[in-house]
Amino acid sequence: MRVLFTIFPASAHLYPAIPLAWALRSAGHEVVVACPDGVVDRKVVDAITAAGLTALPLGGREELTASLAPLLAAAGPDRPTLALDPDDPDAWRTARAVLGRMLHAYYPPETAEGGRRPVLDALVEFAAAWRPDLVLWDPLAPTGAVAARTCGAAHARLLFGSDNVGLIRARTREELADPASGLTEDPWTPWLRPVLERYGLDFTEETLTGQWTLDLTPPRMRTTPLDLTYVPVRRVPYGGAAALPDWLRARPERPRAVLTLGVSRRLLAGRHSGFPMREFFASVSGLDLELVATLNSEQLEAAGPLPGNVRALPYLPLDQVLPTSSAIIHHGGGGTFAAAVAFTVPQLVVPLPMWDEAVTARYVARRGAGLVADPAQVDADSLQKDLLRLIEEPSFRLGARALHDDMLAAPAPADVVPVLERLTAEHRG
């Protein structure tokens, strides 16, 4: 069968999909990965082809950059996010407003380019010509559902983290059904319905939540059951391809730790991470350990001169360094978390809110696989003490093995391919 992936233009959204795309290719299916190009992460199309997959650039630099600019420009600790805080029962309403603006960015007004919507139209036109059997779409790339419906393909969401979109949609439907809520009109369908009507389609919930959903989160990490069909898939960490450096070809002579704040964090928040970089490096300078830090030029500038036991690189695939590491400090991103789990590395999570970082941090702590630092109160001394605990106390390594067992409980991508074949046959128009 032919399978079309549609991805939000960022590596954090692409990388979780790649192992499943490989599994489909290995089973003999044709795969194309579609993505807007020149928006958010301008190297994402190159990353698709670097993974050995066929890329379909959809354009959109002018269209989406202009639409997303207010969100992307609001870097810093007060930047609006799509994070759902477990301690804030109303956080989903704030996230709904942000999500609505992001999704609306794909559907500019009818006056734009004579009514054309370049990203969506390019995808629909390709789908009409290529005729995919299945479209797997990113929750932040809802054009996939529209394209699938125009050509009769089966379609499903491929989650990159917790199902925030599904939860927001469920809460919205509850509000609409409750006269006391004061919500009388669906906040999303007024702009989505004209798009569908343009292609002769009506609005259905599947336009926002898919015919089913591929879920990469560990079952124990899921917090809120939703009335949707989920297909569990094991998240296989992928962080890009690179030559193995000389210094990673042998085990380290002293404990090695890793510090990373994530690629998406660099793109969207700049140096406003809240992490005390300079002070933390000073605090570990006298310790008998090696710290490998992935830092771009802006972060390096904020860090100042580096101690002799700190090795800084712009980027390094985590699957190269984690097999020889004793601990990792990170921001709670899904890809970093999955890599740490795969290599049973204890984690110190400083959850920097973008999507589900706080949920990830709590899951790590609950399973005894690491510690959590409050980003609002983080300081270098406490980070240093927590790092030493992760390295020295065996219980954290045992907890990391428990997380690994959780991961192995979900079927591998190759084992999910027959499920996708069956569901596609059932749902294809």
Side-chain angles (χ1 to χ4, degrees):
M1 61 184 182
R2 289 180 167 178
V3 184
L4 175 63
F5 287 74
T6 66
I7 302 296
F8 182 79
S11 58
H13 293 247
L14 168 66
Y15 287 169
I18 284 177
L20 182 59
W22 285 341
L24 287 161
R25 282 275 300 271
S26 296
H29 300 298
E30 298 178 63
V31 173
V32 170
V33 183
C35 183
D37 59 313
V39 186
V40 187
D41 182 349
R42 299 195 174 188
K43 297 181 180 179
V44 69
V45 171
D46 291 339
I48 296 170
T49 57
L53 299 170
T54 300
L56 175 66
L58 296 174
R61 178 175 298 183
E62 295 181 2
E63 173 191 3
L64 293 183
T65 298
S67 300
L68 296 175
L71 294 172
L72 302 181
D78 298 324
R79 185 182 64 82
T81 75
L82 294 163
L84 299 184
D85 186 344
D87 291 330
D88 183 355
D90 291 323
W92 69 271
R93 288 188 175 88
T94 302
R96 179 175 67 187
V98 177
L99 181 61
R101 293 197 297 272
M102 291 188 69
L103 298 187
H104 198 181
Y106 284 92
Y107 310 111
E110 288 286 353
T111 55
E113 294 197 17
R116 281 185 57 81
R117 295 165 171 85
V119 170
L120 177 58
D121 288 343
L123 186 65
V124 168
E125 290 164 7
F126 175 79
W130 196 57
R131 308 298 297 180
D133 301 288
L134 172 63
V135 178
L136 298 177
W137 49 278
D138 187 309
L140 297 187
T143 49
V146 178
R149 293 184 62 193
T150 61
C151 69
H155 66 95
R157 293 183 303 154
L158 175 60
L159 302 184
F160 55 86
S162 297
D163 192 6
N164 290 10
V165 174
L167 180 60
I168 291 170
R169 188 62 192 163
R171 295 290 184 268
T172 299
R173 294 185 70 185
E174 291 172 3
E175 275 198 327
L176 289 167
D178 180 9
S181 71
L183 187 66
T184 59
E185 183 181 44
D186 192 316
W188 291 348
T189 54
W191 51 261
L192 183 57
R193 186 171 282 114
V195 173
L196 295 169
E197 290 175 350
R198 183 167 178 265
Y199 296 106
L201 304 171
D202 58 348
F203 173 77
T204 68
E205 288 296 319
E206 291 179 354
T207 309
L208 293 173
T209 54
Q211 294 174 319
W212 73 90
T213 298
L214 293 167
D215 194 349
L216 297 172
T217 59
R220 289 176 180 264
M221 187 173 152
R222 299 170 198 153
T223 56
T224 305
L226 298 174
D227 187 21
L228 296 170
T229 300
Y230 290 94
V231 175
V233 186
R234 185 185 310 162
R235 181 158 184 169
V236 177
Y238 171 80
L244 187 69
D246 291 343
W247 58 274
L248 278 176
R249 297 180 184 181
R251 299 197 67 84
E253 297 180 356
R254 51 184 175 172
R256 173 178 289 152
V258 176
L259 167 65
T260 177
L261 299 180
V263 173
S264 294
R265 174 62 47 178
R266 295 179 187 178
L267 292 169
L268 298 181
R271 67 173 66 191
H272 301 284
S273 65
F275 192 91
M277 199 86 66
R278 183 186 297 260
E279 296 82 359
F280 176 64
F281 288 154
S283 74
V284 301
S285 61
L287 301 181
D288 186 27
L289 61 80
E290 175 191 2
L291 181 66
V292 178
T294 58
L295 305 173
N296 63 11
S297 58
E298 188 177 26
Q299 290 169 321
L300 274 173
E301 182 182 349
L306 299 180
N309 63 341
V310 175
R311 185 191 300 270
L313 304 94
Y315 184 74
L316 180 70
L318 290 175
D319 60 357
Q320 293 186 356
V321 67
L322 287 183
T324 57
S325 297
S326 301
I328 182 170
I329 304 172
H330 67 91
H331 59 303
T336 306
F337 159 76
V341 172
F343 296 104
T344 63
V345 177
Q347 307 173 48
L348 173 54
V349 186
V350 187
L352 303 175
M354 290 181 69
W355 191 262
D356 59 358
E357 292 79 7
V359 174
T360 299
R362 293 184 182 200
Y363 172 56
V364 169
R366 187 172 69 247
R367 297 293 280 153
L371 300 167
V372 180
D374 184 347
Q377 303 178 18
V378 67
D379 65 86
D381 289 340
S382 62
L383 288 170
Q384 185 228 60
K385 292 175 183 177
D386 287 345
L387 175 60
L388 289 176
R389 284 190 61 194
L390 294 184
I391 293 173
E392 296 171 356
E393 296 181 21
S395 64
F396 293 111
R397 183 67 71 169
L398 293 175
R401 291 173 184 163
L403 281 188
H404 188 253
D405 290 341
D406 290 352
M407 181 188 73
L408 294 180
D415 297 327
V416 175
V417 171
V419 178
L420 295 183
E421 293 169 344
R422 174 178 57 81
L423 289 171
T424 298
E426 293 174 0
H427 290 277
R428 185 172 48 210

